[in-house]
């Protein structure tokens, strides 16, 4: 074995050889790595430590770069840790830091090795152990090694003590009770004369205070002393971060700290420290006007810097100060607008956020118009950032800044036509939400939806398909506001709708159903009025009054079978097809729509629909939907067949002549069917709370089995559909107007077979491929190209346009009052769920217990006085600072003597003990006797601690031996 080990060592490839071999492998790199892994697996089992270390080094390299699993070598890592050679120990600790996790089984084997290395006299070995512990510390390791960390916190070697302070952060995170042991000594390091130690300990407190700042409020005097005396910029930056967290908790602290912060802001030449002072002032001292003005001046200096990083930071600071001090943005508005054209995308984004922060109900129209024009000149990414910012700002708090909803709806329509627009989902959501919340805006919404639907070029743009879906839904749901329902039907059934995804196409078909029902209902009403006129006889209007107005089809570019057919059918576009349940209506007056709202628009003319126009409309629907009966999408198939069956049911009931008898006989049956469908579509839709489902109580006896397996027993009378009932092949076709049309299936064919299978499983079996339809569609890319980027000269024009928009001005006189917006009492905003308690709570409790004193975990014992004890007693005088003494502690020595004497009398009995003896009980009694003679506020604090419930977990027997 020895000879084999020597041979392996002599011919073993080193890490340098492995790297060279990898770089030479232009092809077949994976084969080379596989061969190297086989060699590593063989070499790592060697008994020679050098061979094992070399293999482990190569394995760590491959794991870092190629993510190879090295868990199989965990035990070999532990073996190499115990090597006496430092070079081998370093490789092992590096491998452990890289590969060990909380679930690694061999972690329990390295506790003693870590303890041994932490107690070593070689500071390099101690450093290796501390570095490894900072990365792999678990609850058990942190608990077992707390005594060693406590000892290293007072090490005479700066290199070791600095790393031990850094490890404390990981130890506190994993084992919060370690704070009861190490926290006092950590605080003592704040008074160290070595700047490296102070920097390390302030960094630790900066991290701790970011999680729970209130627990570290008693340490404010120590931090204040560092803020005033320190010359290290990085230490000052961390102290400023701490005070930014502490100042909102104690008003007196902010009053004391603001002046030193301003002094640093004036004197420092370091941009990093100046920015931290600015951020501290604008976030925590915003009520101090002089400090804010100084911060804004410094922000102005950063804005004109050439460094883009400083510009970005200045914009961030300006964004923080903007909500409370709008004048700060107005003073720098020319720079903010200029940065919208900056080359750095981050600067452009911050500038956009700053502009949107200034939006109010007074200037939302002007700013939105300017930004929309700027979006046309921007690249696609920033264009969508602009659109997203406008949408997010305008819908905030249920559209509270929107006064004119007609303008906002038209703005959404303009956004939809921007070539780079990718905010279709959000625009769709807002269109439907506004339509349900604001009744007065529905006519404008229907008009805007009509403009989108009749434009065939938009159908090829996949980014706005969701917007077209909302437009189709609005047009069908509120068709009574349409100026030309026949034109709307033509747009919904145009041939290019085949470019739409199946889900959007299904909405188009359903909206066509609603429009058809409305048209038939209006036709039946006008037919009865024409036969039985309430106030006048039947008058035949001239042909010139039966055609379209000139502007009805303006901008419409439909495909074949376009609206020109409807021009011959006698539809008057000036007439609104307003449905009504009253047959004898005074035309020209306000009439009630199906949703219960009134419309003062022109009412339905007696010649709006004719027999020929209605029959041709039905034939066009049949022609458009017959091919969809072979669709593989369930929604399209279902909706298309529903509409075709309805047409087949109603078509034979429509009159074919103007004879009074046929009208009476035919209209009775047809009117019942149409009125039934009209009632089904006439219910008012409103916004629904996002928490509505949560407020529905679940029945106590409700038990849902998987896949509704008990559906047969719950509904025995309902037979399950067979595969034949879903057949797409129907041989029964009839000729209607020269067009092949599918008829209804015979009653016998609709009889399902008796199969004992669940409805859900049958549906999934039949249509399983379409439950998650693909989002990729072969769509044409013939929509308009994006606008080219303009020159930088446009920045000046943009500034001129927005200069007036950002200035504060009086609220304009709106031409009309703001419409009513339906708001829910609750549920418009998602509820915020409270986070469960974490280890930070335990750490905060331990820190408060140490800072405010403890009667349960600290017991005194006698020990020989020494210089070390006297040195620690000076540090302990700074610890127990109550919140009501904070102002006196920051008073720069006015009551130093009084506070010092009270603290000395309180902590005089506390001694360091090394071993537990049989006299602990007597020492505790002596300690309690001395506590009774302490200062009055000490008794008050101890009474509070006694009344408070104790949540401290029992400690091990070893940890109290290291308490002071």
């Amino acid at each position: 074995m020895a000879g084999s080990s020597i041979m392996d060592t002599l011919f073993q490839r080193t890490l340098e050889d492995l790297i060279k071999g990898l770089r030479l492998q232009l092809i077949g790199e994976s084969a080379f790595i596989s061969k190297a892994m086989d060699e590593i697996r063989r070499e790592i089992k060697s008994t020679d430590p050098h061979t094992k270390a070399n293999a482990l080094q190569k394995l760590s390299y491959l794991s870092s770069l190629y993510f190879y699993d090295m868990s199989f070598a965990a035990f070999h890592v532990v073996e190499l840790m115990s090597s006496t050679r430092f070079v081998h120990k370093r490789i092992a600790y590096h491998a452990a830091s890289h590969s060990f996790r909380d679930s690694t089984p061999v972690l329990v084997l390295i506790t003693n090795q870590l303890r041994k290395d932490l107690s070593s006299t070689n500071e390099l070995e101690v450093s290796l152990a501390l570095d490894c512990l900072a990365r792999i510390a678990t609850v058990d390791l942190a608990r077992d090694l707390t005594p060693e960390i406590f000892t290293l916190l007072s090490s005479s070697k700066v290199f070791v003590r600095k790393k031990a302070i850094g490890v404390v952060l990981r130890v506190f995170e994993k084992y919060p009770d370690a704070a009861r042991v190490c926290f006092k000594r950590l605080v003592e390091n704040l008074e160290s004369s070595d700047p490296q130690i102070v920097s390390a300990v302030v960094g630790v407190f900066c991290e701790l205070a970011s999680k729970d700042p209130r627990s570290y409020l008693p340490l404010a005097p120590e931090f204040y002393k560092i803020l005033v005396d320190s010359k290290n910029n990085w230490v000052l930056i961390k102290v400023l971060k701490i005070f930014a967290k502490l100042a909102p908790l104690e008003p007196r602290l902010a009053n004391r700290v603001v002046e030193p912060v301003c002094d640093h802001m004036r004197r420092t030449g370091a941009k990093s420290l100046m920015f931290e002072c600015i951020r501290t002032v604008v976030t925590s001292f915003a009520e101090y006007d002089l400090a804010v003005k100084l911060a804004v001046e410094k922000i102005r200096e950063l804005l004109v810097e050439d460094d883009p990083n400083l510009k970005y930071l200045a914009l961030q600071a300006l964004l923080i100060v903007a909500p409370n001090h709008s004048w700060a943005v107005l003073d720098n508005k020319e720079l903010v607008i200029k940065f919208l054209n900056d080359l750095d995308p981050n600067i452009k984004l911050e500038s956009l956020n700053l502009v949107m922060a200034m939006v109010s109900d007074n200037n939302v129209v002007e700013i939105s118009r300017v930004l929309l024009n700027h979006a046309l000149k921007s690249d696609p990414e920033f264009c969508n950032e602009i659109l997203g910012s406008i949408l997010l700002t305008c819908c905030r708090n249920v559209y509270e800044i929107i006064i004119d909803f007609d303008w906002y709806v038209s703005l959404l329509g303009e956004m939809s036509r921007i070539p780079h627009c990718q905010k279709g989902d959000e625009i769709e959501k807002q269109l439907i939400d506004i339509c349900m919340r604001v009744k007065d805006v529905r006519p404008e919404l229907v008009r805007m939806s009509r403009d989108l639907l009749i434009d065939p070029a938009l159908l090829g743009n996949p980014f706005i398909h969701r917007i077209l879906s909302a437009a189709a839904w609005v047009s069908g749901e509120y068709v009574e506001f349409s100026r030309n329902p026949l034109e709307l039907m033509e747009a919904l059934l145009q041939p290019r709708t085949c470019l739409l995804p199946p889900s959007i196409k299904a909405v188009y078909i359903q909206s066509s159903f609603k429009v058809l029902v409305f048209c038939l209902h209006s036709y039946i009403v006008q037919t009865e009025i024409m036969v039985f006129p309430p106030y006048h006889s039947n008058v035949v209007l001239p042909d010139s009054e039966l055609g379209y107005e000139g502007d009805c089809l303006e901008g419409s570019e439909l495909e074949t079978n376009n609206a020109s057919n409807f021009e011959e059918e006698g539809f008057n576009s000036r007439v609104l097809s307003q449905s009504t349940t009253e047959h004898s209506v005074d035309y020209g007056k306000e009439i009630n729509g199906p949703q219960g709202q009134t419309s003062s628009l022109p009412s339905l003319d007696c010649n709006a629909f004719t027999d020929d126009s209605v029959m041709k409309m039905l034939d066009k629907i049949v022609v458009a939907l017959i091919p969809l009966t072979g669709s593989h999408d369930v929604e399209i198939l279902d909706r298309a067949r529903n509409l075709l069956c309805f047409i087949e049911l109603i078509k034979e009931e429509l009159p074919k002549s103007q004879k009074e008898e046929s009208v009476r006989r035919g209209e009775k049956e047809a009117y019942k069917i149409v009125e039934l469908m009209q009632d089904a579509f006439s219910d008012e839709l409103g916004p629904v709370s996002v928490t509505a489902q949560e407020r529905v109580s679940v029945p106590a006896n409700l038990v849902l089995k998987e896949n509704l397996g008990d559906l047969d027993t719950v509904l025995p009378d309902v037979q399950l559909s067979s595969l034949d009932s879903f057949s797409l092949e129907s041989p029964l076709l009839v000729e209607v107007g020269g067009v092949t049309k599918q008829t209804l299936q015979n009653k016998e064919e609709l009889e399902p077979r008796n199969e004992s299978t669940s409805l859900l499983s049958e549906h999934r079996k039949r249509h399983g491929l379409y439950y998650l339809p693909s989002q990729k569609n072969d769509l044409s890319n013939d929509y308009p190209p994006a606008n080219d980027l303009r020159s930088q000269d446009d920045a000046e024009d943009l500034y001129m346009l927005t200069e007036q928009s950002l200035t504060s001005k009086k609220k304009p006189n709106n031409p009309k009052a703001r419409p009513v917006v339906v708001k829910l009492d609750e549920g418009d905003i998602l509820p915020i769920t409270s986070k469960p308690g974490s280890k930070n709570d335990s750490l905060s409790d331990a820190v408060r217990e140490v800072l405010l004193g403890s009667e349960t975990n600290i017991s005194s014992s006698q020990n020989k006085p020494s210089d070390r004890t006297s040195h620690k007693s000076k540090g302990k005088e700074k610890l127990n600072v109550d919140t009501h003494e904070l102002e006196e502690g920051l008073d720069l020595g006015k009551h130093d003597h009084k506070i010092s004497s009270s603290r000395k009398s309180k902590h005089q009995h506390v001694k360091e003990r090394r071993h537990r003896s049989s006299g602990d009980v007597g020492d505790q009694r002596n300690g309690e006797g001395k506590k009774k003679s302490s200062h009055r506020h000490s008794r008050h604090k101890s009474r509070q601690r006694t009344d408070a419930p104790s949540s401290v977990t029992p400690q091990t027997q070893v940890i109290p031996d290291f308490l002071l």
Side-chain angles (χ1 to χ4, degrees):
M1 284 297 291
S4 175
S5 177
I6 293 174
M7 294 299 295
D8 291 341
T9 303
L10 291 176
F11 296 98
Q12 184 184 24
R13 282 192 295 187
T14 62
L15 178 60
E16 184 178 357
D17 298 332
L18 178 65
I19 296 174
K20 290 180 179 179
L22 284 172
R23 292 178 178 177
L24 293 176
Q25 301 297 321
L26 300 178
I27 300 176
E29 185 181 72
S30 58
F32 179 82
I33 295 177
S34 300
K35 182 179 179 181
M37 286 294 295
D38 294 337
E39 294 177 357
I40 290 172
R41 290 178 181 273
R42 184 181 68 255
E43 294 168 355
I44 205 169
K45 299 177 183 179
S46 175
T47 57
D48 181 36
H50 182 74
T51 304
K52 187 185 296 291
N54 199 6
L56 192 59
Q57 193 175 19
K58 293 187 293 183
L59 181 60
S60 300
Y61 175 81
L62 293 177
S63 178
S64 301
L65 267 66
Y66 299 95
F67 307 103
Y68 277 86
D69 183 21
M70 57 180 299
S71 59
F72 67 91
F75 184 76
H76 302 289
V77 172
V78 177
E79 287 182 327
L80 199 60
M81 277 186 182
S82 60
S83 176
T84 56
R85 297 192 60 182
F86 177 78
V87 64
H88 296 164
K89 191 182 294 290
R90 182 179 61 182
I91 295 173
Y93 273 117
H94 175 265
S97 301
H98 175 70
S99 62
F100 281 12
R101 303 291 182 267
D102 291 350
S103 58
T104 303
V106 299
L107 273 177
V108 296
L109 303 178
I110 67 173
T111 304
N112 290 330
Q113 185 62 43
L114 284 171
R115 182 181 287 112
K116 177 182 176 181
D117 290 334
L118 289 174
S119 304
S120 175
T121 56
N122 186 350
E123 63 179 9
L124 297 179
E125 293 183 355
V126 177
S127 175
L128 287 178
L130 289 173
D131 289 341
C132 182
L133 185 62
R135 290 173 173 83
I136 68 171
T138 61
V139 177
D140 294 334
L141 287 176
R143 182 187 64 244
D144 296 338
L145 299 176
T146 295
E148 282 71 24
I149 300 299
F150 175 81
T151 303
L152 294 176
L153 287 175
S154 60
S155 175
S156 59
K157 300 176 181 178
V158 177
F159 178 73
V160 174
R161 197 198 302 186
K162 182 176 63 175
K163 290 204 171 187
I165 291 172
V167 173
V168 164
L169 195 61
R170 172 81 174 191
V171 173
F172 284 179
E173 178 185 356
K174 292 296 182 179
Y175 183 60
D177 285 343
R180 295 183 170 89
V181 180
C182 302
F183 194 79
K184 285 187 177 182
R185 187 158 289 181
L186 187 66
V187 174
E188 291 173 4
N189 285 282
L190 285 172
E191 297 183 354
S192 175
S193 59
D194 192 288
Q196 298 182 31
I197 300 298
V198 176
S199 179
V201 71
V202 169
V204 170
F205 277 114
C206 182
E207 293 296 327
L208 293 174
S210 64
K211 299 176 182 177
D212 182 25
R214 186 174 295 276
S215 299
Y216 307 95
L217 193 59
L219 296 176
E222 282 76 8
F223 296 139
Y224 180 82
K225 182 179 178 181
I226 297 175
L227 178 65
V228 174
D229 298 339
S230 179
K231 304 300 180 182
N232 189 322
N233 289 339
W234 294 112
V235 173
L236 290 174
I237 289 175
K238 294 173 185 176
V239 172
L240 287 172
K241 291 180 181 292
I242 295 174
F243 277 119
K245 300 291 184 181
L246 298 182
L249 305 177
E250 178 55 60
R252 295 172 296 177
L253 180 62
N255 190 26
R256 192 66 182 172
V257 172
V258 64
E259 189 59 33
V261 174
C262 292
D263 290 340
H264 284 298
M265 198 188 312
R266 295 188 191 97
R267 293 197 302 262
T268 183
K271 300 298 183 182
S272 57
L273 179 58
M274 183 174 69
F275 173 74
E276 195 60 42
C277 293
I278 293 172
R279 184 161 58 181
T280 303
V281 168
V282 299
T283 55
S284 302
F285 306 139
E287 66 276 7
Y288 296 90
D289 294 336
L290 294 178
V292 173
K293 290 180 180 179
L294 178 60
V296 173
E297 293 177 3
K298 297 298 180 180
I299 290 174
R300 176 77 180 191
E301 296 179 6
L302 296 177
L303 286 174
V304 298
E305 291 283 346
D306 295 333
D307 188 355
N309 296 320
L310 296 179
K311 294 180 183 179
Y312 176 78
L313 294 176
L315 289 173
Q316 275 194 333
L318 205 58
L319 185 61
I320 297 174
V321 77
N324 297 325
H325 303 277
S326 58
W327 56 267
V329 182
L330 296 176
D331 292 346
N332 299 279
K333 61 180 182 298
E334 67 279 359
L335 292 175
V336 173
I337 299 300
K338 179 182 177 181
F339 289 153
L340 285 174
N341 289 321
D342 198 273
L343 297 177
D344 192 328
N346 294 323
I347 292 179
K348 292 196 298 184
L349 185 60
E350 287 300 319
S351 179
L352 174 63
N353 294 335
L354 195 55
V355 173
M356 299 311 299
M358 300 302 299
V359 174
S360 64
D361 55 351
N362 298 332
N363 57 15
V364 61
V365 177
E366 293 83 359
I367 293 180
S368 298
R369 173 57 54 195
V370 170
L371 291 178
L372 205 62
N373 292 335
H374 189 74
L376 293 171
K377 308 173 185 179
S378 304
D379 58 278
E381 184 178 358
F382 189 59
C383 172
N384 284 280
E385 291 290 347
I386 293 177
L387 299 182
S389 299
I390 295 175
L391 293 171
L392 182 63
T393 303
C394 292
C395 75
R396 187 172 53 212
N397 197 11
V398 197
Y399 314 97
E400 65 176 352
I401 66 172
I402 302 300
I403 303 299
D404 187 357
F405 278 91
D406 289 345
W407 162 81
Y408 187 59
V409 168
S410 64
L411 180 70
L412 294 177
E414 292 182 27
M415 287 185 184
S416 304
R417 294 182 179 274
I418 293 180
H420 292 308
C421 177
Q422 298 181 12
K423 299 296 179 180
D425 294 350
E426 182 62 27
I427 295 177
E428 175 199 28
K429 177 183 175 182
Q430 291 195 20
L431 285 175
I432 296 177
D433 190 47
I434 291 174
C435 198
M436 292 189 295
R437 290 182 185 272
V438 188
K439 293 183 178 180
D440 296 344
V441 81
R442 289 170 183 172
E444 178 65 20
L445 265 171
V446 173
R447 185 202 63 78
M448 188 272 295
S449 300
R450 171 256 183 197
D451 294 340
L452 294 177
L453 293 175
I454 65 175
D455 191 352
L458 300 178
L459 294 171
N461 188 348
F463 296 126
I464 66 170
H465 284 167
R466 301 297 298 271
I467 304 175
L468 295 177
S469 173
W473 183 86
V474 169
S475 300
E477 187 68 25
Y478 304 101
V479 63
E480 68 273 9
F481 295 111
S482 176
R483 298 181 60 196
N484 194 337
L486 298 179
E487 180 191 35
L488 189 60
M489 178 69 76
E490 185 77 16
L492 292 172
L493 298 176
Q494 58 181 300
R496 281 180 62 86
T497 55
C498 63
L499 299 174
L500 297 172
S503 58
I504 310 300
K505 182 66 175 176
V507 178
Y508 269 60
I509 298 174
Q510 186 68 12
S511 297
S512 303
F513 199 169
K514 296 177 182 179
V515 174
L516 174 62
V517 170
F518 174 79
C519 293
L520 291 177
H521 187 268
S522 302
Y523 164 71
I524 293 173
V525 171
Q526 78 161 28
T527 303
E528 290 189 358
I529 295 174
M530 290 172 63
V531 176
F532 308 103
Y535 299 109
H536 54 81
S537 60
N538 188 11
V539 179
V540 180
L541 299 179
D543 295 338
S544 60
E545 298 185 10
L546 301 180
Y548 283 113
E549 284 185 355
D551 59 345
C552 272
L553 288 178
E554 182 178 357
S556 176
E557 298 179 357
L558 302 181
E559 298 290 329
T560 58
N561 298 325
N562 214 332
S564 59
N565 296 328
F566 289 135
E567 293 179 2
E568 303 172 358
E569 296 166 7
F571 183 87
N572 193 338
S573 63
R574 296 172 297 176
V575 176
L576 173 69
S577 298
Q578 179 72 30
S579 65
T580 178
T581 56
E582 297 293 336
H583 296 177
S584 59
V585 182
D586 292 339
Y587 293 100
K589 298 182 180 180
E590 287 192 354
I591 52 179
N592 294 327
Q595 272 75 20
Q597 56 218 3
T598 61
S599 174
S600 59
L601 297 176
S603 58
L604 184 65
D605 186 77
C606 60
N607 288 312
F609 296 98
T610 63
D611 293 341
D612 293 338
S613 65
V614 171
M615 296 303 296
K616 288 183 178 180
M617 178 179 62
L618 296 179
D619 292 341
K620 291 177 185 297
I621 296 175
V622 172
V623 171
L625 296 187
I626 280 292
L628 300 181
T629 56
S631 173
H632 296 290
D633 187 86
V634 179
E635 289 292 331
I636 293 179
L637 179 64
D638 185 44
R639 296 174 192 269
R641 286 193 170 185
N642 287 340
L643 185 51
L644 289 174
C645 290
F646 175 76
I647 292 175
E648 180 66 22
L649 183 63
I650 199 66
K651 194 167 188 178
E652 299 300 329
E653 301 292 339
L654 294 177
K656 295 194 170 74
S657 65
Q658 293 295 329
K659 293 182 179 180
E660 178 179 345
E661 293 79 12
S662 64
V663 171
R664 286 182 176 179
R665 184 175 59 256
E667 287 296 320
K668 278 188 177 180
E669 300 298 331
Y671 182 76
K672 291 180 181 179
I673 300 174
V674 174
E675 186 178 21
L676 180 64
M677 295 305 302
Q678 181 70 12
D679 292 340
F681 292 139
S682 62
D683 288 340
E684 177 81 17
L685 294 178
V688 180
S689 169
V690 294
T691 60
Q693 188 64 36
E694 298 178 0
R695 293 197 293 266
V696 177
S697 58
V698 180
N701 57 351
L702 178 62
V703 178
L704 295 178
K705 295 185 179 180
E706 185 178 3
N707 292 333
L708 301 179
D710 57 344
L711 191 62
D712 293 338
T713 59
V714 176
L715 301 174
D717 298 334
V718 178
Q719 299 293 335
L720 299 175
S721 300
S722 63
L723 296 178
D724 295 339
S725 63
F726 288 100
S727 175
L728 302 180
E729 300 177 359
S730 181
L732 301 179
L733 301 175
V734 296
E735 293 288 333
V736 179
V739 180
T740 303
K741 180 169 107 56
Q742 185 178 10
T743 61
L744 297 174
Q745 295 181 345
N746 292 334
K747 189 174 182 180
E748 294 78 7
E749 294 177 345
L750 295 177
E751 290 293 335
R753 290 184 299 179
N754 228 350
E755 298 183 8
S756 57
T757 177
S758 69
L759 183 61
L760 184 59
S761 60
E762 180 66 28
H763 193 268
R764 185 180 296 275
K765 180 180 178 181
R766 177 62 181 167
H767 304 287
L769 295 178
Y770 311 108
Y771 268 77
L772 294 175
S774 174
Q775 297 298 328
K776 297 181 179 179
N777 300 285
D778 296 332
L779 302 174
S780 62
N781 295 323
D782 54 353
Y783 50 90
N787 293 352
D788 295 332
L789 296 177
R790 306 296 176 88
S791 63
Q792 290 297 110
D793 297 338
D794 293 335
E796 299 179 1
D797 299 336
L798 185 62
Y799 164 64
M800 297 299 295
L801 290 173
T802 51
E803 184 176 4
Q804 300 298 327
S805 300
L806 290 178
T807 56
S808 58
K809 56 185 178 181
K810 296 182 180 179
K811 188 173 183 180
N813 295 326
N814 296 306
K816 58 181 180 180
R818 185 174 188 266
V820 177
V821 181
V822 178
K823 294 184 180 180
L824 304 177
D825 295 336
E826 57 181 4
D828 277 330
I829 302 176
L830 287 173
I832 300 176
T833 57
S834 58
K835 296 182 179 180
S838 61
K839 293 184 179 180
N840 293 333
D841 299 333
S842 302
L843 178 59
S844 301
D845 294 340
V847 171
R848 292 192 188 101
E849 183 178 341
V850 173
L851 289 177
L852 301 179
S854 174
E855 295 179 355
T856 57
N857 292 335
I858 300 180
S859 59
S860 61
S861 62
Q862 296 180 354
N863 195 5
K864 294 181 180 181
S866 61
D867 296 338
R868 181 180 177 183
T869 305
S870 61
H871 173 72
K872 292 181 179 179
S873 63
K874 294 180 181 179
K876 291 194 287 290
E877 293 173 6
K878 302 286 185 177
L879 295 179
N880 292 326
V881 180
D882 202 358
T883 55
H884 62 79
E885 295 179 354
L886 186 59
E887 189 174 7
E888 291 80 357
L890 294 174
D891 205 10
L892 297 182
K894 287 185 178 180
H895 307 287
D896 286 346
H897 178 71
K898 181 178 179 181
I899 297 176
S900 177
S901 61
S902 64
R903 290 175 178 172
K904 287 181 180 179
S905 62
K906 180 178 179 180
H907 296 286
Q908 185 178 2
H909 66 282
V910 180
K911 304 289 184 178
E912 181 181 2
R913 64 179 186 176
R914 298 180 179 177
H915 302 284
R916 188 179 297 272
S917 62
S918 60
D920 287 344
V921 178
D923 292 340
Q924 289 180 358
R925 292 178 180 176
N926 293 335
E928 291 177 358
K930 294 179 181 180
K931 285 182 181 179
K932 292 181 180 179
S933 61
S934 61
H935 199 266
R936 182 171 62 254
H937 76 272
S938 178
R939 293 200 305 268
H940 176 68
K941 288 189 292 184
S942 63
R943 192 182 307 114
Q944 288 180 343
R945 292 193 301 271
T946 306
D947 297 338
S950 177
S951 61
V952 180
T953 57
Q955 303 230 358
T956 61
Q957 298 297 325
V958 180
I959 293 178
D961 292 341
F962 296 89
L963 289 173
L964 295 180

